C-alpha cells in the first residue's frame, strides 16, 4: 500500500447563484478593485492509502459522491498531488 | 398508552428541548438522546413509535449542513432507521433534521429516488434567514397534516442558511403529481410566493418548504413548528384580542398533534 496525498475542490455548480461569491465581490468592489465573477469553493487535502494511482482516484471520487459534495448542487475536481516513496 | 417519541441529538443540536415540549403538549412521552447512545446500542430505536430529528447546527454545519450527522447515521444506524420507516412509524426532520433526512436519502426515499436526487442549497440571499413566513399546507397527508383544511394558510418561523430546495425538473414533476410537497411558501393572501423574496426566504424551487416520502410517513420541513406551538410565541400575539384567535394553539402544534394521533391510531 502507498500513501497518496490528494486534493479535492468542491464548487457550487455554475448555474447556481453563489451568494458568498457575490458578497465577496461586492466587498472587493467597495475596496476599489475592478473584479467580477467571484465564486467561493472549498479545498480538502488529505492522505489516502491505496495500491495504485488509478485506484486512489476511484476511492476519492467515491469520497466526493458520499460526503464532500452533493452532486445535485456541487461540482468537484480531484487531483493526486503525490505519494510517499 | 402515550406515543413514545425519540428525539435524537448531537453536538450543535439546539432545538431538541422546544421540540420535546411541543410533542409533550400534543400528548407524547418524549426522550431526548444523543445519537451515540443509539450507535452504542444502549437504546433500541424500534422500542419507540416515532422519531424526530430536530433543528440546530450539527457539527457546526461542516462540509454541508447535516452532512456529518448523516454520515454517522448512514454508516452506523441505517438498517434500523430504514426498517423503522418501512414499518410505517413516523419520522419528522425539522430544519437541520430535514437536511439530515435528505443527506441519508430517506427523503425523498432510497427505494425509488436513490441517495442523491434533491438538495438543500445555500439561500439565494447569501445570509441566515430568520423570519416568519406564510405557508400553504397540503392536507392530503394524514400522518402529519391532517388538521390543516385545504384553504388554510399558516405561519411559522424559518431560521436557516441552507434551505433552498433544488431538484431536477423530472423530480419536481414527480413530487407534484404524487402530492409529496407538504408545505409551500406563499404570500400573506395565500397566492404562491413565486420565488419572491422574502415570502420565499431562500429561493426554493416551486416555493417548496416541506416534503414527504412516497409512503407519507417521513416528513422534512425547513420552518420550525416547535417555535409556533403556542400563540404567545407569535410576534403579533400581544396585538391580537383573544376573541380573534381562531385556534387554541399555534399553527405548528398541529403537525405534532397529527403525528401523535397517527401513532395512537395506526402504530400502538
Amino acid at each position: 500500500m502507498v500513501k497518496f496525498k490528494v486534493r479535492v475542490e468542491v464548487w457550487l455548480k455554475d448555474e447556481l447563484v453563489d451568494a458568498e461569491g457575490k458578497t465577496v465581490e461586492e466587498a472587493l468592489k467597495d475596496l476599489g478593485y475592478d473584479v467580477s465573477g467571484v465564486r467561493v469553493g472549498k479545498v480538502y487535502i488529505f492522505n489516502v492509502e491505496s495500491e495504485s494511482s488509478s485506484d486512489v482516484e476511484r476511492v476519492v471520487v467515491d469520497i466526493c459522491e458520499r460526503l464532500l459534495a452533493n452532486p445535485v448542487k456541487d461540482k468537484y475536481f480531484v487531483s493526486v498531488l503525490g505519494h510517499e516513496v | 398508552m402515550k406515543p413514545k417519541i425519540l428525539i435524537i441529538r448531537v453536538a450543535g443540536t439546539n432545538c431538541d428541548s422546544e421540540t420535546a415540549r411541543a410533542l409533550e403538549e400534543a400528548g407524547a412521552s418524549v426522550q431526548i438522546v444523543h445519537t451515540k447512545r443509539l450507535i452504542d446500542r444502549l437504546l433500541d430505536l424500534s422500542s419507540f413509535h416515532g422519531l424526530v430529528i430536530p433543528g440546530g447546527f450539527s457539527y457546526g454545519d461542516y462540509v454541508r449542513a447535516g452532512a456529518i450527522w448523516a454520515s454517522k447515521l448512514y454508516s452506523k444506524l441505517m438498517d434500523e432507521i430504514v426498517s423503522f420507516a418501512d414499518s410505517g412509524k413516523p419520522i419528522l426532520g425539522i430544519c437541520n433534521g430535514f437536511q439530515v433526512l435528505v443527506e441519508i436519502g430517506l427523503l425523498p426515499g432510497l427505494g425509488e429516488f436513490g441517495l442523491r436526487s434533491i438538495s438543500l442549497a445555500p439561500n439565494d440571499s447569501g445570509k441566515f434567514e430568520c423570519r416568519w413566513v406564510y405557508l400553504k399546507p397540503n392536507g392530503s397527508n394524514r400522518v402529519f397534516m391532517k388538521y390543516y383544511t385545504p384553504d388554510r394558510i399558516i405561519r411559522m418561523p424559518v431560521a436557516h442558511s441552507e434551505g433552498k430546495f433544488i431538484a431536477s425538473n423530472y423530480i419536481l414533476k414527480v413530487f407534484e403529481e404524487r402530492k409529496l410537497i407538504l408545505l409551500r411558501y406563499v404570500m400573506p393572501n395565500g397566492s404562491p410566493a413565486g420565488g419572491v423574496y422574502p415570502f420565499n426566504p431562500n429561493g426554493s424551487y416551486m416555493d417548496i418548504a416541506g416534503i414527504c416520502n412516497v409512503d407519507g410517513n417521513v416528513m422534512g420541513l425547513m420552518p420550525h413548528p416547535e417555535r409556533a406551538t403556542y400563540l404567545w410565541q407569535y410576534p403579533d400575539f400581544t396585538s391580537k384580542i383573544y376573541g380573534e384567535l381562531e385556534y387554541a394553539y399555534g399553527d405548528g402544534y398541529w403537525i405534532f398533534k397529527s403525528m401523535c394521533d397517527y401513532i395512537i391510531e395506526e402504530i400502538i
Side-chain angles (χ1 to χ4, degrees):
Chain A
M1 296 291 265
V2 185
K3 191 187 268 184
F4 290 90
K5 184 161 195 172
V6 297
R7 181 178 192 276
V8 172
E9 282 179 29
V10 182
W11 299 90
L12 268 181
K13 283 181 178 170
D14 294 338
E15 62 266 32
L16 291 171
V17 179
D18 179 357
E20 190 176 354
K22 280 194 162 178
T23 309
V24 172
E25 187 172 310
E26 205 64 29
L28 289 172
K29 281 179 176 162
D30 288 346
L31 290 171
Y33 296 104
D34 188 11
V35 296
S36 61
V38 176
R39 296 188 73 83
V40 179
K42 272 191 181 178
V43 176
Y44 298 87
I45 290 174
F46 49 94
N47 302 321
V48 186
E49 300 263 353
S50 188
E51 279 163 4
S52 66
S53 58
S54 61
D55 186 58
V56 76
E57 283 203 20
R58 185 187 58 75
V59 172
V60 177
V61 165
D62 201 40
I63 286 173
C64 292
E65 295 277 331
R66 291 280 300 278
L67 179 62
L68 301 186
N70 181 337
V72 178
K73 69 176 178 71
D74 299 323
K75 59 176 184 175
Y76 57 87
F77 304 100
V78 174
S79 41
V80 179
L81 300 177
H83 58 83
E84 282 183 354
V85 185
Chain B
M1 187 184 182
K2 283 184 168 186
K4 269 180 70 181
I5 296 180
L6 178 68
I7 297 178
I8 54 174
R9 58 164 292 128
V10 289
T13 301
N14 65 6
C15 298
D16 43 337
S17 298
E18 275 168 286
T19 308
R21 175 152 174 187
L23 282 162
E24 280 162 3
E25 187 73 48
S29 147
V30 185
Q31 214 174 327
I32 301 173
V33 162
H34 197 283
T35 303
K36 191 167 188 311
R37 289 192 63 199
L38 282 176
I39 291 172
D40 292 345
R41 304 296 189 269
L42 297 171
L43 202 74
D44 182 12
L45 179 59
S46 67
S47 68
F48 292 87
H49 304 123
L51 172 67
V52 179
I53 309 179
F57 303 83
S58 56
Y59 299 103
D61 281 351
Y62 294 158
V63 178
R64 251 187 335 278
I68 305 285
W69 195 358
S71 305
K72 289 187 190 295
L73 295 175
Y74 195 83
S75 57
K76 307 268 172 48
L77 283 167
M78 204 52 192
D79 290 347
E80 286 91 332
I81 294 173
V82 167
S83 64
F84 191 89
D86 285 349
S87 69
K89 290 176 178 175
I91 300 179
L92 178 64
I94 302 166
C95 195
N96 194 217
F98 184 15
Q99 293 159 338
V100 168
L101 288 176
V102 168
E103 287 286 336
I104 61 176
L106 219 56
L107 283 175
L110 282 168
E112 192 170 342
F113 299 98
L115 183 57
R116 299 273 190 226
S117 56
I118 62 177
S119 175
L120 292 159
N123 299 342
D124 274 356
S125 65
K127 58 187 170 112
F128 188 85
E129 290 291 339
C130 182
R131 62 176 73 250
W132 285 75
V133 293
Y134 293 87
L135 298 156
K136 178 142 184 62
N138 164 8
S140 70
N141 176 291
R142 69 199 174 94
V143 183
F144 299 101
M145 313 295 281
K146 76 165 189 182
Y147 283 99
Y148 298 127
T149 48
D151 52 354
R152 186 150 162 210
I153 302 302
I154 61 173
R155 284 189 300 159
M156 284 184 221
V158 293
H160 59 255
S161 290
E162 298 176 37
K164 179 184 180 177
F165 185 97
I166 61 173
S168 68
N169 287 336
Y170 168 73
I171 295 280
L172 291 171
K173 195 161 152 265
V174 171
F175 276 31
E176 178 123 70
E177 280 169 8
R178 305 240 197 125
K179 297 186 163 56
L180 303 184
I181 303 167
L182 297 190
L183 286 170
R184 276 183 165 162
Y185 302 111
V186 292
M187 299 291 196
N189 67 6
S191 62
V196 174
Y197 181 83
F199 305 103
N200 174 335
N202 48 35
S204 280
Y205 291 179
M206 288 172 75
D207 302 323
I208 292 173
I211 60 164
C212 68
N213 64 345
V214 175
D215 294 327
N217 68 320
V218 180
M219 176 183 183
L221 73 167
M222 288 315 297
H224 285 272
E226 78 280 9
R227 298 185 194 177
T229 291
Y230 301 100
L231 291 171
W232 46 258
Q233 289 174 300
Y234 281 65
D236 53 359
F237 172 65
T238 51
S239 66
K240 294 239 180 192
I241 302 164
Y242 272 98
E244 288 177 4
L245 299 171
E246 198 180 342
Y247 300 96
Y249 286 103
D251 294 326
Y253 168 80
W254 302 103
I255 290 180
F256 301 114
K257 180 71 176 151
S258 178
M259 183 179 176
C260 288
D261 286 1
Y262 170 80
I263 288 171
I264 291 166
E265 287 158 18
E266 307 278 338
I267 305 294
I268 296 179

